[in-house]
Amino acid sequence: MSAVHPIGGPIAGPIAEIGETRLLPAHLTPALVSEQVTSVTERPARWGWWLYFGISLLFLGVLAVSVSYLFWEGIGVWGNNSPIAWAWDITNFVWWIGIGHAGTLISAILFLFRQRWRTSINRFAEAMTIFAVICALLFPLIHVGRPWHIYYTLPLPNQMGMWPNFKSPLLWDVFAVGTYFTVSLLFWYVGLIPDLATARDRARSLFRKRVYGFAALGWRGSHRHWRHYERAYLILAGLSTPLVLSVHSVVSFDFATSVIPGWHSTIFPPYFVAGAVFSGFAMVMTLMLIARQVFGLKDMMTLQHLELMNKIMLVTGSLVGFAYATEFFVAMYSGNEYERYAFTNRATGPYWWAYWIMLSCNVLSPQLFWFKRWRTSLPVMFVVSILINIGMWFERFVIIVTSLHRDYLPSSWGYFRPTLVDVGCFLGSLGLFFTLFALFIRWVPQIAMFEVKAILPGAQPNQHRHRVERHEPGHHAPPALASREA
Amino acid sequence: MTSASAVSTRPVLLLAEFETPDAIIGAAEHVRNAGYQKWDVHTPYPVHGMDAAMGLSDSRLGWIVLACGLSGLLAAVSMMQWMNGHDYPLVIGGKPPAAYASMVPIMFELTVLIAAFGATFGMLGLNQIPRHHHPVFYSERFEACSNDKFFISIEAEDAQFDPNATRAFLEGLTPSYLELVEEAEPSPAGHPASRAEGMR
Amino acid sequence: MQLFRRSLNHLPLALVVGVGGLGAALTVGIWYYFSPRNLQVGYTPKQPIPYSHKLHVGELGLDCRYCHSNVERSPEAMIPPTQTCMGCHAVVRPDSPRLAALRDSWKSGNPVPWVRVHKLPEHAYFDHSVHLPAGVGCATCHGRIDQMDEVRLEMPLAMGWCLECHRDPGPHLRPQTELTNMSWKRDEASTVLAAVSVAAAGVRPPEHCTGCHR
Amino acid sequence: MTNDRVFWRSLEAKAQPEQARERATGSDVVKQSIDAPGLIRLRRRQFLSLSGAISALVGIGCSIRRPVEKIMPYTEMPADVTVGVPSHYASVLTRRGEALGVVVQSSEGRPTKVEGNPEHPGSAGGTDLQAQAALLDLYDSERARTPTLQGAPRTYAEVDAVLAELAGQLAASGGAGLRVLSEPSLSPTFVRLRAALAAKLPNAVFHTYAPVSDSNERAGTQLAFGRPLLVQHRLAGAQVIVALDSDFLMTETGSVEAARGFANGRHMDSAAGKQPNRLYAVEPTLSVTGSNADHRLSLPAQSIAAYAKALAAALVGQGISLGALDSELGRPELAGVASPWTLAVARDLAEHRGASLVIAGSRQPAAVHALAHAMNSALGNVGRTVVYVTPVDAEEPLHFPDIASLARDMAAGKVQTLLVLGGNPVLDAPADVQFKEALAKVPLSLCLSGWRHETGELCTWHVPQAHALESWGDQVSRIGAYSVQQPLISPLFKGRSDTSLLAALLAPAASAVSERDPYLLVKATAAMHGADDERRWQRLLQRGVGPRNVSQITLGGLSLQTAAIQSALRALPEAAQLGLDSLEVVFLADNKLLDGRHANNAWLQELPDPITRITWDNAALIAPSTAQALGVASGDMLRLTSSDARSIEIVAWVQPGQAPGSIGLPLGWGRKRGGKHALGAGFDVYPLRTSGAPHFTAGVKLAKLGTRYPLSQTQEHDVMEGRPIALDATLDAYREHPNFGQRGSPDPSPPPLWKTQDYSQGPQWGMAIDLNRCVGCSACVIACQSENNIPVVGKDQVARGRAMAWLRIDRYYVGDDADQPEVAFQPVSCQHCEQAPCENVCPVNATSHSPEGLNDIAYNRCIGTRYCMNNCPYKVRRFNFLNNNLDIPETQKMVHNPDVTLRFRGVVEKCTYCVQRIQSSKIAAKREGRELKDGDVVTACQQACPAEAITFGDIRDATSAVSRAREVDRNYALLAEVGTRPRTRFLGKVRNPNPEMVG
């Protein structure tokens, strides 16, 4: 089927791709795109931004205080204990990592699937990924008893002649998350280069010009560059796709490879990935709704974009629900008394409330999106996206804490209560996230302008010429449709 | 910027501006057919079909990435086998010190990591960026390139370049704007002045 | 407009060279300067009494075990009690000013505050009495004490260094008769070597954690 | 088997489910403020570590080795010291009425570990937890450091002056107005001196008092045989044991020996046809002994006498006549008690004449003891399972009347001078004698005690008492074994011993040193006990125990004073009617603190009570049914008011097995003085105790205060949830399925996916724990704490689930009746799995396996991810959540075992099978050029265990004790189905119920 034709055109081919219906309003021109997107970074910030930034900074301060106190006194200032050696720390880690999945997913997978509507939101989502992963990385670093020895986890030559244990899922984490962060960062920056050039050229003051100019690496839109650029982008997308899937799979190995009832489960990798995408989309949604309201980017983040995302949330949410059901079924069907107890205990034990919060937020609330009326209502989707964020946090809490607090020997069963420092570290990480985000939306073009421009009506040469070139070697589709036919 | 200084200047390139993708792709084909070598097309976003129009070959980036990926894989395997299997073998959970199964995740991660480096820096390398200083930037008008205008630049270096002939040739392509970008001979003063003379 | 000088186009090159070079320098620097080989070897503190091993061992030829008498039956070789010193110095140079501190200690009963040179961290448990029977000589870890006026740390007492020998003890062992012989050289041709290697065959030093850490 | 039984989740679950959830979540077990502990302040240690780090940074480049470390050699080498090699000395400690022979390890002159002395009959190589914890008492920085006069510090010279002056005056007055109050003594030297003093000062009066003692036992023998005798049980030979309110395995005199004997009598070695003994326990409160009983009947303490009579009557029914007593006994049944409890038990006893034993507890009145003696002699047990011994101190009076008379005289102003040699009467004298008020009327009082406690503070003079490990002394064990208590270290705070004080009064400073120096005095006594020359003396010191003086043992030929017993039985008060408004309280010797003398011992404080699992507190133990009727829940604050209007406030604890209508009150808690650990821990119940009814009293009213009090437990869940954990079987079931262990906890042993580790070389360490021998006394737990420098974390941290014990004893309730639970104990420490889940997950290789099968851990490599804790199915790994070695007083640092690293915060730790002992044994063997032999390596827990429940050694050597133990058919691996292949094996417990009483 024809992959390339003016975006506004009729739906061609047997498959009605989501991306092929009209996404962007007809009046949008390249110049308008540049104007709308870049002007956000050019205008003086509104008081709303300052308020938001101020609050974020406040929470960042909370983080600083909590972590300093933690380092001074030791892990004991948290509620962790034996048997619940991991609690909020790893819960937050997994939660953030999950959130960090949407970005690369949207950029990479939707890119490979040629979902053109992604262009409006991928920059945004990628940024979110990077900040989320930063927050995620924070927790493994501070949750260890002796953070000043954390470098033991890296394969560095040392006088002890000791090496890390490559059998440990925790070490797999180090590499997986590290790789994920690096690749996402590269992916993001590569995507940014042309738009930084735009920002450079639109800038008035020499200072701004210099700053953006430096960041744009002297990009001059040369087509000889575009050629490699697109290929690089395609490859990065290709690499990121399995990476995204691998990262949360590896994170799930922390649990799946253990012997603890409720952790020791083969379903974890797919289940975690689905959950991650789920929570990631929810977070993107929350942020987009705000940004689009505050910065008037309604033209590019259209209601249809939001609806499409809601559909994905409906699917992933149901997947997660299915995973919950499967877990229960397997536990009961296995006849393993420990497994059975672990799951009955989740639903009816001391932490029953956490379990039911998780279930209602993650499985029930997205079901609203079966109905177009709610799928397209801003307030509804905002509330639901928040609910999902909460629910996914509780999912990790349920998996980690309720599985640990009652495992094999009843004599060692315990109960976990968070302390103020636990709360401080969590809220603090939110502060870190939103601070970074505030800076991002203020200084960086938050929509991939060149990609949007490329799919505007009439942005590409017309059909006739195109058909001619089809058969010529070295043809490249623009990024939005960058999969070579053959 | 137009500096009326007396310093001797030399032309570096001719810059032709076009309004639409169709125009630029057509123009590109002509320039290619005219047999120019050192020329380029500047667009705010990738205009597809341009490779053919400019007669460019396929990108070699893929091979670089493949090489990087494989070396990443090799590095991972050898590192883990040597550290856990050879240099300090320890009994962990009753398993053999050098167990491949448990090393798969990190093999994968390092492969991807190094490959990604290959893709990014390979691209930068092939494009020879970062290059912050380039003659086209002398042109005020060129700033529109990152917004919505399309440009063709033919460098003075090119064997066929002749200030008048080439200019005539470009005029023939009916650009919306044409400009000769000149640059001062590198002087001890360092920062070269430039003169861009517009015409319609 | 041209924002940057042409010279900035050398940035990539500069980055590659600069960052690469700096990284290499740092690695090498840390590798060398932060290693016990650099940080610990050569430590030669001032001792309360200028006791010279060179004189007592090198020239007078005292056996190590005369003073460090525990070395064969205890984890600690033991710094000799004042008593031991006085054993001779009650008559030899009884009023040498350099021995004032010793005599004070003998009178007052307060110990001589020697400064520790060969120190292992608290979590490492080294046992002299098991290394001797295995054929590890004094000089192997303490160097040529017999040539030192002031005791000086010769070897980096670091885990990696211990492991070198624990992994392949053979080349480091010597016949029981030569344990305290400071000048003993390993002579590949010699006949005793056969005996050593035989003995070495029976020596299986631990390489697991609790071999040394408890 | 256990898992066919009915379980209740926890008590409240049986009663009211929603409360159960609350309890199970522990939400009201302890009230935790959500905020983190403490404020940021630059603590000393932190400051040091900080500055240390800084100086280290500064030092980089020149040398990291800053600050300079000094070596302090001896000036003169002591004869018997090898630097770096600990030496061992025999000594003896007192434990209630029994001497406990010990061997103390000394590292460079400081005692670092207490072990039992295998040569000593009272110990037989085992110890109890108080003996293990003795070191911490010794190094307690809060012990009194100087003598005081009215609280003002004085010198010992002044003390000596006063004593000399006093001696003068007394000599003149013949000791008029002098009273000496001491604790019951096992020391011939002390008794000798006291007698001499009495002879010298005819007008002086000597008193003896201890709140928890064997006074009733003496009264019993006095009553039964007309002379005071000590009762010595030989449990190993007893097939049927009836314990009448006697906790002979834990708090009674001679528990160490008893535990050994009991375990031996219970031991089941495969189906060797040997019949294990059977224990019936009748008691008001669930004791350790009751937990080990095959049949347990909870009766109020006041009804025990009636039960004893009914049992005796039943015996008569079995043709075992008690002679003239028969008429006295009444009917062989007791209201509210199932008839088998008299008839079947009597039949069982009758069938085992000469191999049975009736034991009366020290709480029970003389008559009950006498009746027990009567039954034993009628059953022909005397000389077989029970012997009678002449006590060292034949003059010892009955404690409660004695202290009462003393207090009366003091109040009446008849006492000019009072010497309190040990003990703490102001705290623990019966409330009604008002000792405190009486003391105020004594012009000159001198108190000798280790701590400036309640009494020490109120006496004119207080003189620090030397610890048993600091002073010369001697003791005679129950069966007449003489042993010398030799000091391991010169008194840290220059304390004095009771003998030296007596000597000072006896012999004026002028007199010969031999009459004043405790060493010489003891040596003189030893001479009378056979060590009459230097060689024998040295030998005595070495062995720690001299030849037994059998003359003291009376194997029989004692005539029962039936008439006296008869009248005593008649005089027994009728059991009062118990009801919700008239409850019985029973005063219990505490499992850990006894009468309170160990209250400042943090190890004991943090040790969970063997039964309640409560740390740092005592509580009023109430039967579930009673609690429900009264609407009382664990953690509620109560006021208990006795019939004579005395009252205390104490927290409630609902305790399965407590007799309905009866409340158990552990003594010795809630101290007002005597160290920071003692203060504020638990509740003082002495104010309720009167000389009239010092052991139990009825008519107590209970009122809820409406407030709650947080209790810290180490185990909050009481039942096994039907899981195969602490496996047991009845004798029949065992005979049917000798391998019930492996049936219960099968090892799937799936084919390995990889080439498994080869463990065929070198020694392969393994352990076997016999649940059939383990009585749950917890001595091993303290032994482990002492050997491995395990820190104490305090009540709040325990409540947060951060107790550090490497070895814990899990206690589960089994059975379907909350008022009559069966109990299962299971010691759990690192199982040293051959396929250890913890090792796989450590990212930094901090924990790995040694070729000898040990699960190693290198503290200094650990970064504290705690992943290994999560992945340990046995939950035996402990994490230093905070810096637990912060601010340890200098003196207390001396308690640390130099062979074990102190762990810093942020590090995981766990049982290492005492790897330091393994290493030193291996090194010793290498040094001596020999192979390790079985028994060379003994772990701390194994060595401490009085019941020999733990065996350890090389499982590769088929002949080793541990290999043989692991081959016993009862063996099983805990959670074998997880596939961890533990090196520790358990031997399932065999219960031996009376077929007549089953069902």
Side-chain angles (χ1 to χ4, degrees), chain D residues 131-145:
Chain D
Q132 287 294 339
L135 282 180
L136 204 59
D137 283 339
L138 169 66
Y139 293 124
D140 186 341
S141 61
E142 291 180 287
R143 278 169 61 199
R145 290 170 183 252

Side-chain angles (χ1 to χ4, degrees), chain D residues 241-464:
Chain D
I241 306 163
V242 178
L244 301 171
D245 192 7
S246 167
D247 185 12
F248 62 85
L249 288 176
M250 190 73 187
T251 53
E252 296 278 353
T253 289
S255 61
V256 174
E257 205 178 347
R260 172 72 48 90
F262 179 73
N264 288 339
R266 189 155 195 87
H267 188 54
M268 286 296 295
D269 210 332
S270 69
K274 183 176 170 301
Q275 187 77 6
N277 63 23
R278 179 178 294 144
L279 171 59
Y280 302 90
V282 184
E283 55 183 9
T285 192
L286 180 61
S287 69
V288 167
T289 307
S291 315
N292 286 280
D294 300 293
H295 292 286
R296 184 179 171 282
L297 173 65
S298 46
L299 275 185
Q302 60 167 3
S303 313
I304 303 284
Y307 173 81
K309 279 167 76 176
L311 180 61
L315 272 178
V316 177
Q318 293 295 323
I320 310 285
S321 166
L322 305 189
L325 292 179
D326 294 0
S327 57
E328 212 39 63
L329 301 171
R331 302 179 45 69
E333 64 215 27
L334 186 58
V337 175
S339 58
W341 262 105
T342 49
L343 303 178
V345 174
R347 192 172 303 114
D348 209 0
L349 284 168
E351 285 165 3
H352 294 86
R353 300 183 191 198
S356 57
L357 182 57
V358 180
I359 306 176
S362 58
R363 262 192 300 272
Q364 291 301 320
V368 175
H369 283 264
L371 190 52
H373 299 319
M375 286 192 263
N376 281 329
S377 53
L379 286 163
N381 296 333
V382 178
R384 293 199 175 78
T385 57
V386 58
V387 297
Y388 298 100
V389 186
T390 333
V392 178
D393 179 6
E395 284 79 53
E396 184 181 316
L398 296 184
H399 291 195
F400 289 94
D402 195 37
I403 190 80
S405 69
L406 171 61
R408 219 176 300 115
D409 295 353
M410 287 160 65
K414 295 183 191 161
V415 181
Q416 270 62 48
T417 314
L418 175 68
L419 297 188
V420 182
L421 305 179
N424 187 3
V426 170
L427 169 76
D428 57 30
D432 58 336
V433 309
Q434 299 183 321
F435 192 91
K436 187 177 174 185
E437 295 70 6
L439 184 58
K441 299 226 173 62
V442 178
L444 173 63
S445 56
L446 182 148
C447 173
L448 177 74
S449 63
W451 288 264
R452 265 193 93 237
H453 52 40
E454 293 82 350
T455 312
E457 198 162 61
L458 294 179
C459 287
T460 353
W461 279 91
H462 176 261
V463 181

Side-chain angles (χ1 to χ4, degrees), chain D residues 553-567:
Chain D
I553 307 177
T554 328
L555 287 172
L558 293 162
S559 56
L560 277 173
Q561 314 286 319
T562 41
I565 303 177
Q566 235 166 348
S567 51

Side-chain angles (χ1 to χ4, degrees), chain D residues 592 602 605-606 614-618 669 677 681-682 792 794-795 798:
Chain D
K592 302 185 297 180
Q605 286 277 5
E606 186 146 311
I614 296 174
T615 66
W616 294 97
D617 274 304
N618 65 341
W669 294 81
H677 296 310
V792 169
K795 181 179 174 180
V798 172

Side-chain angles (χ1 to χ4, degrees), chain A residues 235 239, chain B residues 60-73 111 114-115 118-119:
Chain A
I235 291 174
L239 289 172
Chain B
R60 307 181 304 289
L61 188 60
W63 297 108
I64 301 178
V65 175
L66 178 64
C68 291
L70 290 179
S71 51
L73 178 63
T111 311
I114 308 298

Side-chain angles (χ1 to χ4, degrees), chain A residues 371-392:
Chain A
F371 309 100
K372 187 164 185 78
R373 189 159 148 276
W374 286 326
R375 202 160 60 221
T376 52
S377 135
L378 292 179
V380 170
M381 63 178 83
F382 186 71
V383 172
V384 169
S385 67
I386 300 268
L387 282 181
I388 293 175
N389 287 323
I390 296 172
M392 285 311 289

